[in-house]
């Protein structure tokens, strides 16, 4: 049993027990509250197989978060359009008071994002969403009185950098967390974060676990039975797990994306600190199916899961090199992915 079986059980749970609720999009949902899904990463990479998943979009969005970016230009240039509707909705809401040019359809709006830098800087910006909070959380620091007034200095906190440093220096800490729910900036965000924070946890590997890892090494010696011998060939000493928290869960379209995204984030962090990806856990709040996704969910439940795929990080030096190379997408390789066909559904913004 793996996370795909957990996911399919969750679909059944909502269909059987969900309560009808209104929502901000006007679409309507059936909803349950307070669920959890878990996956052992050694069973394979958690990319669902009962429908074909948009792998390039998953990778592109995660790299966008990790770059600290909040403008859809990077996404659009890499053919990832999952935030188009949110940006366009913000444009429609604010254009009358802030913009006196021609009206654009969503297709024309995206074309302007591709080609007009001035327009992009103004209308492609989503506010201080995930990337800003992960890499540049703003902290006000009162620096004291200056010429009778108060000078306020803005300190930027890089939560991802801090997390990596703590994992290297204090891996048993219970404060290995990243938070996107900045209450002082929610009103500036085009969309407040749905998955609002994550925590990681590490544990020491046993000698038997390290022995099994060492068997894959070209330098392996079957007589080794000491931690120092495994250290000498750089076999990881620890396993790392990740648990994310999500207040609002679009279970048909969004959750499969979130599962794979946090699975990939766990792989990247593990690679950065030389640990082994262990367990992926999702704590889910309002878990819903939009009413226009119900038939699609029923179709997915008729499909049998296939074997899970594998992800390999090629040419990996460190996180910043991954983010700054033109070959980022090529260096994150999805291997042996087989799936059923796509099931189309409309995204509610």
């Amino acid at each position: 049993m793996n996370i795909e079986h957990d996911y399919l059980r969750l679909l059944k749970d909502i269909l059987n027990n969900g309560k009808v609720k209104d929502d901000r999009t006007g679409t309507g949902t059936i909803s349950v509250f307070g669920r959890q899904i878990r996956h052992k990463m050694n069973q394979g990479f958690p990319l669902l197989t009962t429908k074909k998943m948009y792998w390039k979009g998953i990778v592109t969005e995660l790299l966008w978060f990790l770059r600290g970016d909040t403008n859809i230009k990077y996404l659009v240039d890499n053919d990832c359009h999952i935030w188009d509707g949110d940006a366009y909705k913000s444009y429609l809401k604010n254009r009358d008071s802030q913009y006196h040019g021609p009206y654009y359809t969503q297709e024309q709006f995206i074309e302007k994002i591709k080609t007009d830098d001035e327009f992009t800087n103004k209308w492609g910006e989503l506010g201080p969403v995930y990337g800003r909070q992960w890499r540049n959380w703003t902290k006000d620091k009162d620096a004291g009185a200056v010429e009778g007034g108060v000078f306020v200095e803005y300190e930027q906190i890089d939560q991802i950098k801090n997390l990596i440093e703590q994992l290297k220096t204090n891996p048993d800490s219970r404060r290995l967390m990243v938070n996107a729910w900045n209450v002082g900036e929610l009103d500036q965000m085009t969309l407040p974060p749905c998955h609002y924070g994550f925590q990681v946890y590490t544990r020491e590997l046993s000698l038997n676990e390290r022995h099994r890892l060492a068997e894959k090494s070209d330098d392996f010696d079957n007589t080794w039975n000491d931690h120092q011998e495994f250290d000498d060939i750089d076999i990881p000493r620890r396993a790392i797990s990740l648990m994310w928290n999500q207040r609002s869960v679009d279970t048909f379209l969004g959750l499969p994306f979130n599962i794979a995204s946090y699975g990939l984030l766990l792989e990247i962090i593990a690679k950065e600190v030389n640990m082994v990806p262990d367990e992926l856990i999702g704590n889910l709040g309002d878990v819903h199916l939009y009413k226009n996704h119900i038939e699609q969910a029923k179709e997915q439940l008729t499909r049998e899961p296939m074997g899970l795929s594998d992800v390999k990080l090629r040419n990996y030096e460190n996180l910043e090199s991954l983010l700054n190379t033109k070959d980022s997408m090529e260096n994150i390789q999805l291997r042996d992915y087989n799936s059923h066909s796509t099931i189309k559904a409309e995204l509610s913004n």
Side-chain angles (χ1 to χ4, degrees):
M1 303 292 283
N2 58 42
I3 203 164
E4 185 146 33
H5 298 91
D6 255 12
Y7 173 78
L8 295 175
R9 282 197 298 270
L10 190 58
L11 289 182
K12 290 180 183 178
D13 183 8
I14 301 169
L15 290 170
N16 293 333
N17 303 306
K19 305 302 180 185
V20 176
K21 294 189 69 177
D22 294 329
D23 71 286
R24 67 172 176 84
T25 72
T27 308
T29 68
I30 55 173
S31 169
V32 296
F33 183 68
R35 300 294 189 267
Q36 186 180 81
I37 51 176
R38 307 178 76 101
H39 175 68
K40 294 292 287 185
M41 295 293 288
N42 61 11
Q43 295 178 347
F45 187 77
L47 188 67
L48 300 192
T49 66
T50 45
K51 64 178 180 183
K52 186 174 180 61
M53 294 292 298
Y54 180 30
W55 174 244
K56 182 180 179 181
I58 292 166
V59 176
T60 299
E61 187 196 44
L62 179 61
L63 294 176
W64 181 65
F65 291 161
L66 289 169
R67 285 162 54 96
D69 203 344
T70 57
N71 193 297
I72 65 168
K73 172 72 171 171
Y74 176 84
L75 300 177
V76 170
D77 286 349
N78 285 281
D79 200 28
C80 178
H81 298 284
I82 56 178
W83 284 86
D84 287 6
D86 295 294
Y88 184 65
K89 187 176 180 180
S90 177
Y91 158 77
L92 293 179
K93 179 181 177 181
N94 295 303
R95 68 177 297 277
D96 290 339
S97 61
Q98 300 182 31
Y99 181 66
H100 304 290
Y103 166 83
Y104 296 110
T105 65
Q106 183 165 326
E107 290 73 20
Q108 292 170 330
F109 174 81
I110 296 305
E111 190 60 32
K112 290 285 286 184
I113 294 293
K114 292 179 181 178
T115 59
D116 186 332
D117 289 342
E118 183 178 355
F119 185 88
T120 299
N121 290 337
K122 183 174 184 60
W123 296 109
E125 181 59 47
L126 298 171
V129 293
Y130 297 97
R132 169 71 174 274
Q133 305 307 332
W134 283 17
R135 304 306 306 261
N136 293 287
W137 180 294
T138 301
K139 176 184 177 182
D140 290 349
K141 183 178 180 181
D142 187 350
V146 177
E147 295 181 357
V150 175
F151 174 74
V152 177
E153 187 178 278
Y154 294 98
E155 179 183 351
Q156 303 295 325
I157 300 173
D158 187 338
Q159 295 190 82
I160 297 296
K161 179 181 177 181
N162 290 348
L163 175 68
I164 290 167
E165 288 177 354
Q166 283 295 300
L167 282 167
K168 291 178 178 179
T169 60
N170 189 16
D172 285 324
S173 172
R174 297 187 292 270
R175 302 177 184 180
L176 302 171
M177 299 172 62
V178 170
N179 191 2
W181 193 261
N182 187 338
V183 295
E185 295 187 337
L186 291 178
D187 61 345
Q188 302 170 43
M189 302 179 190
T190 299
L191 181 68
C194 294
H195 43 102
Y196 58 87
F198 66 91
Q199 180 177 357
V200 297
Y201 171 93
T202 80
R203 64 175 179 84
E204 289 192 351
L205 293 167
S206 68
L207 275 172
N208 285 339
E209 288 175 310
R210 297 190 80 193
H211 193 279
R212 287 194 293 271
L213 291 173
E215 288 175 351
K216 303 173 185 178
S217 169
D218 294 336
D219 300 320
F220 176 62
D221 184 331
N222 196 46
T223 65
W224 290 345
N225 195 34
D226 178 82
H227 280 298
Q228 184 58 54
E229 291 171 323
F230 295 133
D231 288 345
D232 291 341
I233 60 168
D234 208 27
I235 299 300
R237 267 189 174 265
R238 285 182 174 261
I240 181 171
S241 297
L242 183 150
M243 178 174 69
W244 85 91
N245 297 305
Q246 190 161 347
R247 64 172 178 86
S248 177
V249 187
D250 172 356
T251 309
F252 184 75
L253 283 181
L255 183 56
F257 211 92
N258 302 136
I259 291 168
S261 181
Y262 277 106
L264 179 56
L265 179 61
L266 177 54
E267 292 277 359
I268 291 171
I269 294 173
K271 188 77 169 178
E272 180 75 12
V273 297
N274 193 30
M275 295 183 188
V276 179
D278 195 3
E279 191 167 18
L280 181 69
I281 305 162
N283 291 323
L284 312 176
D286 186 317
V287 188
H288 50 266
L289 281 169
Y290 284 103
K291 289 182 177 179
N292 58 355
H293 295 169
I294 289 175
E295 293 308 312
Q296 290 93 326
K298 290 179 179 178
E299 178 182 352
Q300 190 169 357
L301 283 167
T302 67
R303 298 177 172 186
E304 189 67 26
M306 300 179 181
L308 292 179
S309 55
D310 179 45
V311 164
K312 179 177 177 60
L313 301 177
R314 296 176 58 253
N315 303 320
Y316 190 91
E317 296 179 11
N318 54 56
L319 176 60
E320 297 311 316
S321 68
L322 173 68
L323 298 178
N324 293 320
T325 179
K326 293 181 180 180
D327 299 323
S328 295
M329 290 294 302
E330 290 74 14
N331 286 338
I332 300 175
Q333 290 189 337
L334 178 68
R335 305 185 297 185
D336 301 322
Y337 180 59
N338 297 296
S339 74
H340 294 266
S341 60
T342 301
I343 304 176
K344 294 185 177 180
E346 185 177 348
L347 180 64
S348 293
N349 294 118

